[in-house]
Amino acid sequence: MSNCAIVGINWGDEGKGRMVDLITRDHDVVVRYQGGGNAGHTIINEYGKFALHLLPSGIFTKGVVNILGNGVALDPENLWKEIEEVRARGVSITPENLMISDRASLLLPWHRELDGLEEARLADKKYGSTRQGIAPFYSDKYSKKTVLAGELNYPDHLKAHLADLLEYKNLTLKNVYGAEGYTMAQLEEWLRDYGEKIKPFVKDTGEFLKKSSAAGKKILFEAQLGALRDLDYGIVPYTTSSNTIAAFAPVGSGFPGVKIDKVIGVVKAYSSCVGEGPFTCEWFGDEAEKLREAGDEYGAKTGRPRRVGPIDIVATRYGVETQGATVIALTKLDVLSYMDEIPITAQYELFGEKIDRFPFPAILPEAKPVNITMPGWKRDISGCRKWEDLPIEARNYVEYIEREIGCRIGYVSVGPERESIILR
Ligand code: GDP
């Protein structure tokens, strides 16, 4: 199999970063195809522990070319800061191992500001934005009101284009939100500070991908967040502003005709969710606190405590279908080792009926979890490297999930380190 996508099945934070890090060894090119710096992949490797936001996870692997595709919210400011941080820890980042699609739209300074202003206006009705400017960015992209990274190569054209956008944006900033607005001089300074820095990385990455594919190179597509946050198929409106599903990878990568052979869906052995919106399996109180502590469930970007609960079979089955997953990686199984009994949200109860189908977003808040338990294993499994090493209770739990979600679990992760994985 040559091309592969690694995607989240649930609400995000499933541990995709560690899977990409593991799988990049077998690939030549890693492409991020959607989203921006609003989530974080945590990766632990020989350089230390990293929370990557925009950089593709293949950046640590020598010989791998990393691409930020046209579907990404390309934030020059945050990207440059991230490049500098990662470089400072001994990782080489050059235009040879990092390329930015010339068709990626730029997240401009006002997008972040607009995000904050809108969340403040929404007050208690807010959607839980990370205020990285992602929603205003994608709104502008679809309104054709932002610039492409490739325009950095045409300064006169870029200046005229930005002047038009500036006029338009200042109307919203000043008249809708009562904010100060921007001047051309500020934008020019921003371009000098960040635009110029990322310019050497901007390339026709579509052409590069096509040629790489023709030369038999293997491409890995890396997503951010999970199926339930997909703009079209997720829990609307508590979604992100881009398509997180594997089907979008060809479009957002710059290689729309590419065929993806394998979709690795990442599922966590329990559930976690950042931000607002219905989260049917949610636990509260001491039970939740214990699981949150055991799994270290605090946002990689924001440090916010994540909401937690048992694995949600109904939501996970839907995520598997939506992603078209061909194999599942189950992560953080080791976190459940402290439990006497392993909880599972097996079904939902909706309007007095037990259901297996994930409900339409508008009625999802009415759903109640139907929970069951399975016997726990109560011992440290983080040293297990083979399927047979796992206690029978842990194997039963994995096999139960596999049956219920209708997809083979090919990887079981029992720790954050590269080698803490069981291949089945
Ligand atoms: P992502 O955005 O999907 O990559 O998810 P996160 O960045 O939230 O990563 C999940 C966190 O869990 C990171 O801190 C990982 O190092 C950690 N992690 C990943 N897999 C495992 C595992 O199997 N066991 C444990 N204990 N931690 C893991």
Side-chain angles (χ1 to χ4, degrees):
M1 296 237 177
S2 49
N3 298 328
C4 171
I6 299 191
V7 294
I9 295 295
N10 303 99
W11 295 262
D13 308 312
E14 297 93 347
K16 292 178 295 301
R18 70 101 66 240
M19 284 309 297
V20 181
D21 190 48
L22 180 86
I23 303 290
T24 44
R25 294 184 232 172
D26 306 326
H27 290 79
D28 306 292
V29 185
V30 179
V31 195
R32 274 279 312 267
Y33 59 87
Q34 51 78 226
N38 52 330
H41 286 318
T42 313
I43 290 175
I44 300 174
N45 58 28
E46 64 269 30
Y47 297 100
K49 183 171 179 176
F50 294 84
L52 293 184
H53 301 301
L54 255 172
L55 286 173
S57 309
I59 203 71
F60 304 104
T61 313
K62 287 205 172 62
V64 167
V65 176
N66 294 273
I67 294 184
L68 292 166
N70 55 282
V72 163
L74 206 282
D75 178 342
E77 191 171 331
N78 274 349
L79 175 62
W80 184 248
K81 288 179 184 158
E82 193 171 323
I83 288 175
E84 291 212 303
E85 270 173 40
V86 176
R87 269 182 178 165
R89 294 173 64 188
V91 182
S92 162
I93 305 179
T94 68
E96 271 63 59
N97 72 344
L98 177 68
M99 298 182 189
I100 298 169
S101 165
D102 56 358
R103 286 184 170 270
S105 297
L106 296 189
L107 189 143
L108 298 166
W110 48 64
H111 291 133
R112 223 187 315 273
E113 185 178 354
L114 280 166
D115 211 349
L117 289 167
E118 179 58 11
E119 282 284 288
R121 188 192 69 81
L122 285 165
D124 60 342
K125 290 195 178 133
K126 64 185 189 299
Y127 299 132
S129 164
T130 53
R131 301 179 187 221
Q132 295 295 311
I134 305 298
F137 162 82
Y138 279 108
S139 308
D140 275 358
K141 172 172 172 170
Y142 284 88
S143 322
K144 298 160 288 181
K145 292 267 193 281
T146 181
V147 295
L148 300 180
E151 292 182 53
L152 291 168
N153 290 319
Y154 306 98
D156 292 340
H157 161 91
L158 177 63
K159 214 172 144 187
H161 192 180
L162 277 175
D164 285 347
L165 294 179
L166 179 75
E167 189 183 316
Y168 166 79
K169 267 298 136 182
N170 276 346
L171 286 173
T172 314
L173 281 161
K174 291 180 183 173
N175 300 336
V176 176
Y177 293 105
E180 227 175 86
Y182 287 79
T183 62
M184 198 60 205
Q186 283 173 318
L187 283 188
E188 282 177 355
E189 189 183 327
W190 182 82
L191 279 175
R192 269 196 306 278
D193 286 347
Y194 302 107
E196 286 302 313
K197 300 262 174 41
I198 65 154
K199 208 161 98 176
F201 299 89
V202 177
K203 308 256 170 73
D204 181 350
T205 55
E207 194 57 26
F208 176 83
L209 283 171
K210 248 188 325 193
K211 282 191 178 147
S212 302
S213 182
K217 304 276 186 203
K218 294 178 181 171
I219 307 170
L220 182 64
F221 300 90
E222 178 184 16
Q224 179 208 41
L225 296 166
L228 306 177
R229 297 294 189 213
D230 183 87
L231 180 61
D232 285 84
Y233 297 95
I235 306 167
V236 180
Y238 302 99
T239 64
T240 194
S241 303
S242 63
N243 290 103
T244 58
I245 58 170
F248 188 75
V251 178
S253 67
F255 191 8
V258 71
K259 187 172 170 297
I260 298 176
D261 307 294
K262 181 176 178 183
V263 177
I264 304 181
V266 187
V267 175
K268 198 149 59 178
Y270 55 92
S271 301
S272 75
C273 163
V274 171
E276 317 288 323
F279 182 43
T280 311
C281 63
E282 184 164 14
W283 269 0
F284 301 93
D286 288 350
E287 220 174 17
E289 198 51 49
K290 246 175 138 171
L291 179 54
R292 189 176 298 118
E293 283 295 315
D296 191 22
E297 293 297 342
Y298 299 90
K301 178 86 197 176
T302 58
R304 284 191 280 190
R306 294 175 181 154
R307 299 158 73 190
V308 293
I311 191 163
D312 182 330
I313 297 292
V314 182
T316 304
R317 191 185 294 119
Y318 175 76
V320 168
E321 282 170 20
T322 309
Q323 291 287 16
T326 59
V327 62
I328 296 297
L330 188 73
T331 63
K332 296 188 117 171
L333 187 64
D334 55 307
V335 170
L336 304 185
S337 299
Y338 76 91
M339 294 178 173
D340 294 323
E341 292 192 308
I342 311 296
I344 300 167
T345 296
Q347 288 182 296
Y348 290 172
E349 192 183 310
L350 188 65
F351 307 129
E353 234 183 276
K354 286 193 178 148
I355 58 162
D356 297 298
R357 290 284 309 157
F358 195 60
F360 185 73
I363 52 168
L364 183 57
E366 307 300 322
K368 306 272 176 298
V370 177
N371 289 344
I372 60 165
T373 59
M374 287 182 76
W377 44 91
K378 290 288 275 179
R379 87 180 97 119
D380 182 12
I381 57 168
S382 59
C384 297
R385 295 292 175 266
K386 291 204 294 287
W387 177 243
E388 304 78 52
D389 295 346
L390 282 176
I392 184 71
E393 295 85 354
R395 279 183 274 153
N396 286 344
Y397 178 62
V398 175
E399 283 172 349
Y400 170 84
I401 298 169
E402 187 172 68
R403 263 195 318 277
E404 289 298 313
I405 63 177
C407 190
R408 190 172 72 83
I409 297 178
Y411 309 82
V412 180
S413 170
V414 291
E417 302 82 14
R418 259 189 188 168
E419 65 281 3
S420 312
I421 191 128
I422 295 169
L423 304 184
R424 267 179 94 212

